[in-house]
Amino acid sequence: MPVEVRGVRPDGVGLLFRCRGTAIRLALYRPGRAVWQIAVRDKAWCPEESLQLWTHHPLGTPDVPTDARLAFPRGTEPDQELVIDGARVWGWCGHEAGLLRPAAAAPLFDRLMATVARSGGARSGLALSDRIQPDLTREVAVPAARSRARGKEGISISIS
């Protein structure tokens, strides 16, 4: 299962960290965009229909069902996004980001969050197209998976 983490910082900024394909992304959403997404179920419907029906409730909702999940509606574009292109940086050529285990993805998440902290975070005046380049100047160990550097357990690469 590919790594995906959703959260809200104490200041209300929403976070969506995903490792899919050859990209590692950290999307940031302005305060107020995060909601609880709750599945609407009716015993008269078949499961395929009910999976597509959702309702959104504000984060302050007192009785949130246990199957609720954090979502960021009102458009799919984040207010700010940081992207590590594994194809360019590590030579990934398929779905290596989706193969990362949580322990391998955690340092990348930390690195992206440090980049956000240095840049001032999700500022209210950001345009949707604003992107920040993460700092990968220190070494990062990533699994080789099916990259061009096959046969190695992991690759330690220094990016300048």
Side-chain angles (χ1 to χ4, degrees):
M1 176 65 95
V3 173
E4 181 172 307
V5 178
R6 298 168 189 240
V8 177
R9 296 188 330 194
D11 63 0
V13 172
L15 307 168
L16 177 57
F17 176 71
R18 288 183 177 194
C19 299
R20 298 266 193 298
T22 61
I24 298 162
R25 299 175 185 275
L26 176 63
L28 300 163
Y29 298 86
R30 283 187 285 248
R33 288 191 63 187
V35 296
W36 290 117
Q37 187 175 51
I38 302 169
V40 176
R41 294 189 179 16
D42 187 330
K43 292 179 183 179
W45 296 336
C46 66
E48 292 82 14
E49 291 172 337
S50 66
L51 291 176
Q52 299 300 315
L53 302 173
W54 300 90
T55 182
H56 294 129
H57 298 276
L59 288 183
T61 303
D63 296 320
V64 178
T66 56
D67 63 343
R69 71 177 191 176
L70 195 61
F72 303 99
R74 289 181 261 147
T76 58
E77 293 293 320
D79 296 306
Q80 188 176 44
E81 185 175 50
L82 290 85
V83 178
I84 299 173
D85 181 4
R88 183 181 58 79
V89 176
W90 294 296
W92 290 348
C93 57
H95 53 272
E96 289 81 4
L99 298 175
L100 289 173
R101 297 205 179 266
L108 297 168
F109 175 79
D110 291 342
R111 185 72 53 87
L112 292 172
M113 286 301 293
T115 302
V116 170
R118 280 193 309 277
S119 71
R123 300 174 302 270
S124 60
L126 286 175
L128 292 179
S129 61
D130 286 349
R131 288 180 180 233
I132 299 173
Q133 291 302 315
D135 174 24
L136 293 174
T137 54
R138 290 177 285 162
E139 290 192 358
V140 177
V142 296
R146 295 185 330 151
S147 70
R148 289 181 217 129
R150 287 187 179 106
K152 297 182 181 176
E153 288 295 313
I155 302 173
S156 185
I157 299 177
S158 180
I159 316 305
S160 56

PDB file of all heavy atoms in Angstrom, residues 92-116:
ATOM      1  N   TRP A  92      14.313   6.600 -10.798  1.00  0.00           N
ATOM      2  CA  TRP A  92      13.167   5.693 -10.742  1.00  0.00           C
ATOM      3  C   TRP A  92      12.470   5.688 -12.097  1.00  0.00           C
ATOM      4  O   TRP A  92      12.390   6.702 -12.783  1.00  0.00           O
ATOM      5  CB  TRP A  92      12.191   6.138  -9.672  1.00  0.00           C
ATOM      6  CG  TRP A  92      12.693   5.948  -8.265  1.00  0.00           C
ATOM      7  CD1 TRP A  92      13.784   5.234  -7.868  1.00  0.00           C
ATOM      8  CD2 TRP A  92      12.121   6.486  -7.082  1.00  0.00           C
ATOM      9  NE1 TRP A  92      13.910   5.292  -6.506  1.00  0.00           N
ATOM     10  CE2 TRP A  92      12.908   6.051  -5.992  1.00  0.00           C
ATOM     11  CE3 TRP A  92      11.021   7.289  -6.826  1.00  0.00           C
ATOM     12  CZ2 TRP A  92      12.620   6.388  -4.674  1.00  0.00           C
ATOM     13  CZ3 TRP A  92      10.733   7.629  -5.510  1.00  0.00           C
ATOM     14  CH2 TRP A  92      11.532   7.179  -4.451  1.00  0.00           C
ATOM     15  N   CYS A  93      11.925   4.545 -12.474  1.00  0.00           N
ATOM     16  CA  CYS A  93      11.316   4.454 -13.801  1.00  0.00           C
ATOM     17  C   CYS A  93       9.939   3.800 -13.784  1.00  0.00           C
ATOM     18  O   CYS A  93       9.422   3.436 -14.829  1.00  0.00           O
ATOM     19  CB  CYS A  93      12.249   3.692 -14.744  1.00  0.00           C
ATOM     20  SG  CYS A  93      12.682   2.051 -14.156  1.00  0.00           S
ATOM     21  N   GLY A  94       9.311   3.648 -12.647  1.00  0.00           N
ATOM     22  CA  GLY A  94       7.997   3.004 -12.601  1.00  0.00           C
ATOM     23  C   GLY A  94       7.154   3.521 -11.462  1.00  0.00           C
ATOM     24  O   GLY A  94       6.624   4.614 -11.529  1.00  0.00           O
ATOM     25  N   HIS A  95       7.074   2.726 -10.399  1.00  0.00           N
ATOM     26  CA  HIS A  95       6.236   3.089  -9.258  1.00  0.00           C
ATOM     27  C   HIS A  95       7.000   2.934  -7.946  1.00  0.00           C
ATOM     28  O   HIS A  95       6.455   2.535  -6.927  1.00  0.00           O
ATOM     29  CB  HIS A  95       4.963   2.230  -9.234  1.00  0.00           C
ATOM     30  CG  HIS A  95       5.251   0.759  -9.283  1.00  0.00           C
ATOM     31  ND1 HIS A  95       5.396   0.082 -10.471  1.00  0.00           N
ATOM     32  CD2 HIS A  95       5.458  -0.149  -8.300  1.00  0.00           C
ATOM     33  CE1 HIS A  95       5.654  -1.191 -10.208  1.00  0.00           C
ATOM     34  NE2 HIS A  95       5.692  -1.352  -8.902  1.00  0.00           N
ATOM     35  N   GLU A  96       8.260   3.283  -7.961  1.00  0.00           N
ATOM     36  CA  GLU A  96       9.119   3.107  -6.794  1.00  0.00           C
ATOM     37  C   GLU A  96       8.664   3.911  -5.582  1.00  0.00           C
ATOM     38  O   GLU A  96       8.815   3.456  -4.449  1.00  0.00           O
ATOM     39  CB  GLU A  96      10.569   3.461  -7.131  1.00  0.00           C
ATOM     40  CG  GLU A  96      11.238   2.463  -8.043  1.00  0.00           C
ATOM     41  CD  GLU A  96      10.885   2.664  -9.520  1.00  0.00           C
ATOM     42  OE1 GLU A  96      10.185   3.633  -9.842  1.00  0.00           O
ATOM     43  OE2 GLU A  96      11.297   1.836 -10.344  1.00  0.00           O
ATOM     44  N   ALA A  97       8.116   5.107  -5.789  1.00  0.00           N
ATOM     45  CA  ALA A  97       7.634   5.893  -4.642  1.00  0.00           C
ATOM     46  C   ALA A  97       6.518   5.142  -3.928  1.00  0.00           C
ATOM     47  O   ALA A  97       6.423   5.167  -2.704  1.00  0.00           O
ATOM     48  CB  ALA A  97       7.147   7.265  -5.096  1.00  0.00           C
ATOM     49  N   GLY A  98       5.687   4.443  -4.684  1.00  0.00           N
ATOM     50  CA  GLY A  98       4.611   3.668  -4.093  1.00  0.00           C
ATOM     51  C   GLY A  98       5.091   2.441  -3.350  1.00  0.00           C
ATOM     52  O   GLY A  98       4.343   1.854  -2.571  1.00  0.00           O
ATOM     53  N   LEU A  99       6.350   2.049  -3.566  1.00  0.00           N
ATOM     54  CA  LEU A  99       6.922   0.893  -2.878  1.00  0.00           C
ATOM     55  C   LEU A  99       7.629   1.270  -1.581  1.00  0.00           C
ATOM     56  O   LEU A  99       8.041   0.394  -0.827  1.00  0.00           O
ATOM     57  CB  LEU A  99       7.915   0.171  -3.792  1.00  0.00           C
ATOM     58  CG  LEU A  99       7.328  -0.410  -5.080  1.00  0.00           C
ATOM     59  CD1 LEU A  99       8.445  -0.985  -5.941  1.00  0.00           C
ATOM     60  CD2 LEU A  99       6.283  -1.467  -4.769  1.00  0.00           C
ATOM     61  N   LEU A 100       7.783   2.577  -1.332  1.00  0.00           N
ATOM     62  CA  LEU A 100       8.466   3.003  -0.115  1.00  0.00           C
ATOM     63  C   LEU A 100       7.688   2.551   1.113  1.00  0.00           C
ATOM     64  O   LEU A 100       6.464   2.675   1.179  1.00  0.00           O
ATOM     65  CB  LEU A 100       8.607   4.528  -0.071  1.00  0.00           C
ATOM     66  CG  LEU A 100       9.593   5.162  -1.026  1.00  0.00           C
ATOM     67  CD1 LEU A 100       9.486   6.676  -0.960  1.00  0.00           C
ATOM     68  CD2 LEU A 100      11.009   4.709  -0.728  1.00  0.00           C
ATOM     69  N   ARG A 101       8.390   2.049   2.090  1.00  0.00           N
ATOM     70  CA  ARG A 101       7.783   1.697   3.370  1.00  0.00           C
ATOM     71  C   ARG A 101       7.721   2.968   4.220  1.00  0.00           C
ATOM     72  O   ARG A 101       8.476   3.914   3.983  1.00  0.00           O
ATOM     73  CB  ARG A 101       8.611   0.632   4.069  1.00  0.00           C
ATOM     74  CG  ARG A 101       8.666  -0.651   3.272  1.00  0.00           C
ATOM     75  CD  ARG A 101       8.924  -1.819   4.184  1.00  0.00           C
ATOM     76  NE  ARG A 101       8.949  -3.053   3.438  1.00  0.00           N
ATOM     77  CZ  ARG A 101       7.891  -3.838   3.273  1.00  0.00           C
ATOM     78  NH1 ARG A 101       6.744  -3.508   3.781  1.00  0.00           N
ATOM     79  NH2 ARG A 101       7.994  -4.957   2.595  1.00  0.00           N
ATOM     80  N   PRO A 102       6.820   3.013   5.190  1.00  0.00           N
ATOM     81  CA  PRO A 102       6.712   4.215   6.036  1.00  0.00           C
ATOM     82  C   PRO A 102       8.044   4.652   6.646  1.00  0.00           C
ATOM     83  O   PRO A 102       8.327   5.847   6.703  1.00  0.00           O
ATOM     84  CB  PRO A 102       5.696   3.801   7.102  1.00  0.00           C
ATOM     85  CG  PRO A 102       4.824   2.805   6.404  1.00  0.00           C
ATOM     86  CD  PRO A 102       5.769   2.035   5.503  1.00  0.00           C
ATOM     87  N   ALA A 103       8.866   3.707   7.070  1.00  0.00           N
ATOM     88  CA  ALA A 103      10.160   4.061   7.674  1.00  0.00           C
ATOM     89  C   ALA A 103      11.080   4.756   6.668  1.00  0.00           C
ATOM     90  O   ALA A 103      11.877   5.615   7.035  1.00  0.00           O
ATOM     91  CB  ALA A 103      10.840   2.819   8.239  1.00  0.00           C
ATOM     92  N   ALA A 104      10.996   4.390   5.390  1.00  0.00           N
ATOM     93  CA  ALA A 104      11.811   5.033   4.353  1.00  0.00           C
ATOM     94  C   ALA A 104      11.219   6.374   3.936  1.00  0.00           C
ATOM     95  O   ALA A 104      11.945   7.290   3.556  1.00  0.00           O
ATOM     96  CB  ALA A 104      11.937   4.115   3.143  1.00  0.00           C
ATOM     97  N   ALA A 105       9.885   6.501   4.001  1.00  0.00           N
ATOM     98  CA  ALA A 105       9.225   7.752   3.613  1.00  0.00           C
ATOM     99  C   ALA A 105       9.319   8.819   4.704  1.00  0.00           C
ATOM    100  O   ALA A 105       9.292  10.014   4.406  1.00  0.00           O
ATOM    101  CB  ALA A 105       7.763   7.481   3.267  1.00  0.00           C
ATOM    102  N   ALA A 106       9.442   8.413   5.959  1.00  0.00           N
ATOM    103  CA  ALA A 106       9.454   9.367   7.080  1.00  0.00           C
ATOM    104  C   ALA A 106      10.548  10.426   6.964  1.00  0.00           C
ATOM    105  O   ALA A 106      10.265  11.617   7.154  1.00  0.00           O
ATOM    106  CB  ALA A 106       9.554   8.621   8.401  1.00  0.00           C
ATOM    107  N   PRO A 107      11.812  10.070   6.629  1.00  0.00           N
ATOM    108  CA  PRO A 107      12.824  11.123   6.499  1.00  0.00           C
ATOM    109  C   PRO A 107      12.524  12.092   5.356  1.00  0.00           C
ATOM    110  O   PRO A 107      12.862  13.271   5.435  1.00  0.00           O
ATOM    111  CB  PRO A 107      14.125  10.362   6.227  1.00  0.00           C
ATOM    112  CG  PRO A 107      13.863   8.952   6.569  1.00  0.00           C
ATOM    113  CD  PRO A 107      12.391   8.739   6.495  1.00  0.00           C
ATOM    114  N   LEU A 108      11.878  11.600   4.299  1.00  0.00           N
ATOM    115  CA  LEU A 108      11.511  12.480   3.183  1.00  0.00           C
ATOM    116  C   LEU A 108      10.412  13.445   3.619  1.00  0.00           C
ATOM    117  O   LEU A 108      10.425  14.625   3.262  1.00  0.00           O
ATOM    118  CB  LEU A 108      11.086  11.653   1.977  1.00  0.00           C
ATOM    119  CG  LEU A 108      12.201  10.763   1.416  1.00  0.00           C
ATOM    120  CD1 LEU A 108      11.641   9.768   0.419  1.00  0.00           C
ATOM    121  CD2 LEU A 108      13.294  11.602   0.801  1.00  0.00           C
ATOM    122  N   PHE A 109       9.451  12.946   4.403  1.00  0.00           N
ATOM    123  CA  PHE A 109       8.414  13.813   4.967  1.00  0.00           C
ATOM    124  C   PHE A 109       9.054  14.879   5.847  1.00  0.00           C
ATOM    125  O   PHE A 109       8.733  16.069   5.723  1.00  0.00           O
ATOM    126  CB  PHE A 109       7.410  12.983   5.777  1.00  0.00           C
ATOM    127  CG  PHE A 109       6.388  13.807   6.496  1.00  0.00           C
ATOM    128  CD1 PHE A 109       5.295  14.321   5.811  1.00  0.00           C
ATOM    129  CD2 PHE A 109       6.503  14.068   7.854  1.00  0.00           C
ATOM    130  CE1 PHE A 109       4.338  15.092   6.463  1.00  0.00           C
ATOM    131  CE2 PHE A 109       5.555  14.829   8.513  1.00  0.00           C
ATOM    132  CZ  PHE A 109       4.473  15.333   7.818  1.00  0.00           C
ATOM    133  N   ASP A 110       9.989  14.470   6.715  1.00  0.00           N
ATOM    134  CA  ASP A 110      10.679  15.433   7.577  1.00  0.00           C
ATOM    135  C   ASP A 110      11.407  16.485   6.766  1.00  0.00           C
ATOM    136  O   ASP A 110      11.381  17.676   7.086  1.00  0.00           O
ATOM    137  CB  ASP A 110      11.667  14.711   8.493  1.00  0.00           C
ATOM    138  CG  ASP A 110      10.981  13.856   9.539  1.00  0.00           C
ATOM    139  OD1 ASP A 110       9.778  14.049   9.796  1.00  0.00           O
ATOM    140  OD2 ASP A 110      11.663  12.969  10.105  1.00  0.00           O
ATOM    141  N   ARG A 111      12.054  16.054   5.683  1.00  0.00           N
ATOM    142  CA  ARG A 111      12.796  16.993   4.832  1.00  0.00           C
ATOM    143  C   ARG A 111      11.852  18.001   4.174  1.00  0.00           C
ATOM    144  O   ARG A 111      12.123  19.193   4.122  1.00  0.00           O
ATOM    145  CB  ARG A 111      13.563  16.206   3.769  1.00  0.00           C
ATOM    146  CG  ARG A 111      14.464  17.003   2.891  1.00  0.00           C
ATOM    147  CD  ARG A 111      15.713  17.496   3.605  1.00  0.00           C
ATOM    148  NE  ARG A 111      16.452  16.443   4.256  1.00  0.00           N
ATOM    149  CZ  ARG A 111      17.385  15.690   3.669  1.00  0.00           C
ATOM    150  NH1 ARG A 111      17.699  15.891   2.420  1.00  0.00           N
ATOM    151  NH2 ARG A 111      18.009  14.762   4.342  1.00  0.00           N
ATOM    152  N   LEU A 112      10.700  17.524   3.682  1.00  0.00           N
ATOM    153  CA  LEU A 112       9.731  18.424   3.061  1.00  0.00           C
ATOM    154  C   LEU A 112       9.138  19.387   4.092  1.00  0.00           C
ATOM    155  O   LEU A 112       8.955  20.570   3.808  1.00  0.00           O
ATOM    156  CB  LEU A 112       8.630  17.618   2.370  1.00  0.00           C
ATOM    157  CG  LEU A 112       9.085  16.823   1.143  1.00  0.00           C
ATOM    158  CD1 LEU A 112       7.962  15.912   0.651  1.00  0.00           C
ATOM    159  CD2 LEU A 112       9.562  17.739   0.037  1.00  0.00           C
ATOM    160  N   MET A 113       8.856  18.899   5.296  1.00  0.00           N
ATOM    161  CA  MET A 113       8.316  19.772   6.342  1.00  0.00           C
ATOM    162  C   MET A 113       9.341  20.829   6.755  1.00  0.00           C
ATOM    163  O   MET A 113       8.979  21.975   7.028  1.00  0.00           O
ATOM    164  CB  MET A 113       7.874  18.954   7.556  1.00  0.00           C
ATOM    165  CG  MET A 113       6.587  18.179   7.329  1.00  0.00           C
ATOM    166  SD  MET A 113       5.181  19.235   6.888  1.00  0.00           S
ATOM    167  CE  MET A 113       4.953  20.152   8.394  1.00  0.00           C
ATOM    168  N   ALA A 114      10.614  20.468   6.780  1.00  0.00           N
ATOM    169  CA  ALA A 114      11.664  21.444   7.087  1.00  0.00           C
ATOM    170  C   ALA A 114      11.722  22.514   6.003  1.00  0.00           C
ATOM    171  O   ALA A 114      11.935  23.696   6.292  1.00  0.00           O
ATOM    172  CB  ALA A 114      13.012  20.739   7.231  1.00  0.00           C
ATOM    173  N   THR A 115      11.519  22.116   4.761  1.00  0.00           N
ATOM    174  CA  THR A 115      11.489  23.082   3.661  1.00  0.00           C
ATOM    175  C   THR A 115      10.316  24.038   3.824  1.00  0.00           C
ATOM    176  O   THR A 115      10.449  25.245   3.610  1.00  0.00           O
ATOM    177  CB  THR A 115      11.395  22.352   2.306  1.00  0.00           C
ATOM    178  OG1 THR A 115      12.508  21.468   2.198  1.00  0.00           O
ATOM    179  CG2 THR A 115      11.400  23.326   1.144  1.00  0.00           C
ATOM    180  N   VAL A 116       9.165  23.517   4.237  1.00  0.00           N
ATOM    181  CA  VAL A 116       7.986  24.361   4.480  1.00  0.00           C
ATOM    182  C   VAL A 116       8.287  25.358   5.589  1.00  0.00           C
ATOM    183  O   VAL A 116       7.976  26.546   5.471  1.00  0.00           O
ATOM    184  CB  VAL A 116       6.756  23.499   4.845  1.00  0.00           C
ATOM    185  CG1 VAL A 116       5.610  24.367   5.342  1.00  0.00           C
ATOM    186  CG2 VAL A 116       6.319  22.673   3.659  1.00  0.00           C
TER     187      VAL A 116
END
